Amino acid sequence: MYTHHDEWILILDFGSQYTQLIARRIRELNVYCEIHPFNVSPQQFNDHPPKGIVLSGGPKSVYDEDAPVLNLDFFDYGKPVLGVCYGLQSLAHSLVPGSVERAEKREFGRAKLIIDDDSGLLKNVPDDSVVWMSHGDHINKLPEPYKVIAHTSNAPVAAVRHKEKDIFGVQFHPEVVHTEKGKEILQNFVIHICKCQGQWTASSFIETEIESIRELVGDNKVICALSGGVDSTVVATLIHKAIGDQLLCVFVDNGLLRKNEFNEVLDTYKEHLHLPVIGVDASEKFLKNLEGVADPEEKRIIIGNTFIEVFDESISDQEDFKYLAQGTLYPDVIESVSFKGPSATIKSHHNVGGLPEKMHLDLIEPVRELFKDEVRSVGRELGIPDSFIGRHPFPGPGLGIRVLGELSKEKLDLLREADSIFIHALREYGLYDKVWQALAVLLPVQSVGVMGDERTYEYTIALRAVTSVDGMTADWARLPYEFLSEVSNRIINEVRGVNRVVYDVSSKPPATIEWE
């Protein structure tokens, strides 16, 4: 995961739900950063040390039996350090055991920051600006030679600094939007204290990555499985820019795509992006393999295995390939090295898991350093149409996991029509770009209705639209009632087989964005 950059910030993860937000905020300053578990060896970075280190927050108390412990060897680099919440407490506790204690009054939510020293970390941060607190412990005794640079009405120590070195700590979370001057605080640390230049941009990423791809691939060939989504499209376009027709792309119609999607996307690949792509219609094969299957995880496995089979068959007459290109993103990479260990399987990942082993291929993952919004920025820089780059995320198994229960072509076609009405209406009302993801789900429920003078017993469609930044957390979109009313009426009137439409008002967590 560790890659060389001229300047970068190391984020040590102590388990906070906000750790990825720290990375995102630093990258918004055009500075590259990486997240590593708190217990990573400092020696790993000896050849190319970071310009600064951030210690993330975390859910533990320093007194918990399994509390993460800060490795003080990281201070041997002599680089600036910023401890955030638990990161600050771990720093203080490591230097002076007993300096952290349970707070009499826990502090969660907004608080007003009172500045005691407005230089350095808190430069241009006004008194009484709002910060976001989330802690049950606090510091009761500062290690020598640290001093308090800010406090709140409940926390006598809200921000500290070393009197001689560039070591800082804050008891609040500067990375969350609720902290009014959080961006300025992080900018003070990263740009002014760590002396980063802020030159890591989409264009510089493309330039560096093209050079790396050419060096890695040489005269060999690369195969890329296109899903029709943003990630794989950006990967294919980037690699094509680097090595031209040494790349071959395969776009498979699995029968689980949206209405007209296969032909429309294939046309974009060929006519607008000029990618060397093969279109394969394998819809009948997928539906046959999925017949009678209701369990969502089993569906995903069958879809993945069938894709591997179809993909392998579709290039059987092609020359040998050495590399398989995938659209793995940085959140996937972070999850794989989390100090908390492998998380429970919520659902199988849709990337092509079996192909590298089956076809003896090496993986090439050009955007594995990037978050979703950064991939979109790279795509725009590469000249991919904004109408394509702005498309909502779409799962690898497609509508196969949006028809709940057993699949059939009839159900899929019914869902395609309802989904098309919903998505087109969002565009017509100017709402499409205001939500992160929107989808229709066909429920395995039939209910009584009345159409004309006849009693009906037909399916229910659930509509879902969420707002989010990166899909890791999401809230249901507050779409206008008039809009929902019109969409409901259109679906019921135009889609034969549906007599009821409901709207999902669940947030993630506890719900997921997809229903399966």
Side-chain angles (χ1 to χ4, degrees):
M1 174 176 152
Y2 172 61
T3 53
H4 284 191
H5 289 263
D6 291 338
E7 58 179 26
W8 69 289
I9 300 294
L10 169 63
I11 301 170
L12 293 179
D13 181 18
F14 288 85
S16 171
Q17 61 179 321
Y18 301 134
T19 300
Q20 290 195 34
L21 269 182
I22 298 174
R24 293 175 61 80
R25 297 294 174 256
I26 292 174
R27 290 184 178 198
E28 286 170 3
L29 300 171
N30 294 330
V31 175
Y32 182 73
C33 61
E34 286 188 3
I35 298 171
H36 288 265
F38 75 95
N39 52 6
V40 67
S41 170
Q43 285 69 44
Q44 180 174 336
F45 313 111
N46 282 347
D47 293 339
H48 194 68
K51 297 273 283 186
I53 301 170
V54 177
L55 315 176
S56 86
K60 298 287 187 181
S61 163
V62 294
Y63 295 107
D64 289 346
E65 193 173 325
D66 56 348
V69 178
L70 172 64
N71 186 340
L72 295 177
D73 290 348
F74 279 105
F75 291 89
D76 293 343
Y77 287 130
K79 302 294 183 181
V81 175
L82 172 63
V84 176
C85 205
Y86 180 90
L88 167 59
Q89 294 168 8
S90 182
L91 167 63
H93 187 69
S94 298
L95 296 174
V96 180
S99 59
V100 176
E101 68 177 6
R102 296 285 188 187
E104 270 186 37
K105 188 174 182 180
R106 297 184 302 169
E107 203 166 17
F108 294 97
R110 292 174 174 81
K112 289 189 175 181
L113 193 67
I114 302 164
I115 309 294
D116 301 305
D117 179 348
D118 62 359
S119 63
L121 186 69
L122 301 180
K123 184 178 180 182
N124 298 324
V125 177
D127 248 345
D128 288 337
S129 65
V130 172
V131 296
W132 187 259
M133 292 286 190
S134 179
H135 63 96
D137 292 355
H138 69 182
I139 296 172
N140 63 25
K141 180 181 180 184
L142 272 182
E144 284 291 341
Y146 286 80
K147 70 172 186 175
V148 175
I149 58 175
H151 64 280
T152 71
S153 57
N154 288 329
V157 181
V160 306
R161 70 159 299 162
H162 194 287
K163 293 177 183 176
E164 299 161 5
K165 301 176 182 178
D166 287 329
I167 303 175
F168 302 84
V170 292
Q171 188 60 77
F172 53 88
H173 288 275
E175 69 273 24
V176 303
V177 294
H178 309 298
T179 296
E180 291 177 341
K181 297 297 179 180
K183 181 178 180 180
E184 286 80 357
I185 292 170
L186 290 173
Q187 184 170 326
N188 285 337
F189 179 72
V190 171
I191 303 297
H192 301 300
I193 295 169
C194 297
K195 309 296 184 188
C196 290
Q197 300 299 308
Q199 296 177 341
W200 189 72
T201 61
S203 58
S204 69
F205 171 84
I206 291 169
E207 184 179 336
T208 302
E209 201 59 37
I210 285 175
E211 187 178 326
S212 299
I213 291 167
R214 286 173 179 162
E215 184 179 340
L216 173 67
V217 173
D219 296 329
N220 294 297
K221 290 197 168 188
V222 178
I223 187 82
C224 179
L226 289 168
S227 68
V230 174
D231 304 336
S232 63
T233 302
V234 168
V235 164
T237 306
L238 182 61
I239 294 175
H240 189 237
K241 194 174 180 68
I243 62 171
D245 289 344
Q246 289 169 248
L247 170 72
L248 177 65
C249 302
V250 178
F251 180 38
V252 175
D253 183 357
N254 56 12
L256 307 170
L257 300 175
R258 284 172 154 159
K259 185 178 180 180
N260 301 327
E261 185 167 27
F262 181 68
N263 291 328
E264 289 174 359
V265 171
L266 191 59
D267 180 68
T268 298
Y269 286 153
K270 289 182 174 181
E271 302 301 323
H272 298 279
L273 299 179
H274 307 293
L275 293 175
V277 59
I278 298 172
V280 180
D281 183 355
S283 53
E284 288 186 13
K285 186 181 188 72
F286 277 87
L287 291 180
K288 182 180 178 182
N289 289 352
L290 287 163
E291 192 175 338
V293 178
D295 180 76
E297 186 63 16
E298 192 177 348
K299 285 184 192 175
R300 289 175 183 272
I301 292 169
I302 290 172
I303 292 167
N305 290 340
T306 305
F307 180 84
I308 291 169
E309 186 181 334
V310 170
F311 190 92
D312 193 19
E313 290 172 356
S314 66
I315 60 168
S316 59
D317 60 342
Q318 301 288 331
E319 295 180 38
D320 290 341
F321 291 88
K322 180 173 174 56
Y323 295 98
L324 171 71
Q326 280 198 167
T328 305
L329 300 188
Y330 194 45
D332 303 319
V333 179
I334 296 168
E335 179 67 21
S336 70
V337 298
S338 170
F339 78 87
K340 292 168 280 190
S343 60
T345 299
I346 297 173
K347 55 190 177 186
S348 298
H349 198 270
H350 68 265
N351 275 348
V352 189
L355 275 172
E357 297 82 3
K358 181 177 176 63
M359 300 171 67
H360 308 291
L361 298 171
D362 294 327
L363 278 178
I364 178 169
E365 300 172 307
V367 296
R368 74 194 311 266
E369 294 180 345
L370 306 183
F371 290 102
K372 187 81 173 188
D373 57 330
E374 294 170 333
V375 174
R376 287 193 167 112
S377 296
V378 169
R380 291 187 179 98
E381 192 75 24
L382 286 168
I384 299 174
D386 203 59
S387 58
F388 195 98
I389 287 297
R391 295 178 78 205
H392 292 173
F394 188 67
L399 300 183
I401 56 167
R402 292 182 180 173
V403 173
L404 304 196
E406 294 185 14
L407 297 174
S408 69
K409 187 176 186 304
E410 177 192 17
K411 290 179 181 178
L412 287 163
D413 287 342
L414 188 152
L415 177 59
R416 262 187 272 271
E417 293 300 324
D419 177 83
S420 178
I421 290 170
F422 185 33
I423 299 302
H424 278 87
L426 285 167
R427 294 190 186 279
E428 289 168 10
Y429 273 73
L431 296 169
Y432 185 85
D433 294 330
K434 296 181 179 179
V435 299
W436 164 265
Q437 189 172 355
L439 57 131
V441 179
L442 179 66
L443 304 186
V445 174
Q446 288 178 289
S447 63
V448 174
V450 178
M451 290 189 175
D453 295 325
E454 296 181 3
R455 177 183 183 275
T456 61
Y457 192 62
E458 296 178 336
Y459 286 107
T460 299
I461 288 285
L463 303 179
R464 178 124 167 95
V466 298
T467 57
S468 180
V469 175
D470 53 18
M472 305 197 75
T473 61
D475 195 11
W476 61 278
R478 273 64 172 175
L479 299 179
Y481 291 149
E482 316 83 62
F483 168 82
L484 291 172
S485 175
E486 180 177 325
V487 171
S488 174
N489 287 337
R490 285 189 57 191
I491 290 174
I492 292 170
N493 289 333
E494 298 175 28
V495 183
R496 191 173 295 276
V498 174
N499 67 358
R500 193 177 298 271
V501 174
V502 298
Y503 187 58
D504 184 346
V505 293
S506 310
S507 296
K508 175 187 178 182
T512 54
I513 294 176
E514 297 287 344
W515 278 45
E516 283 191 348

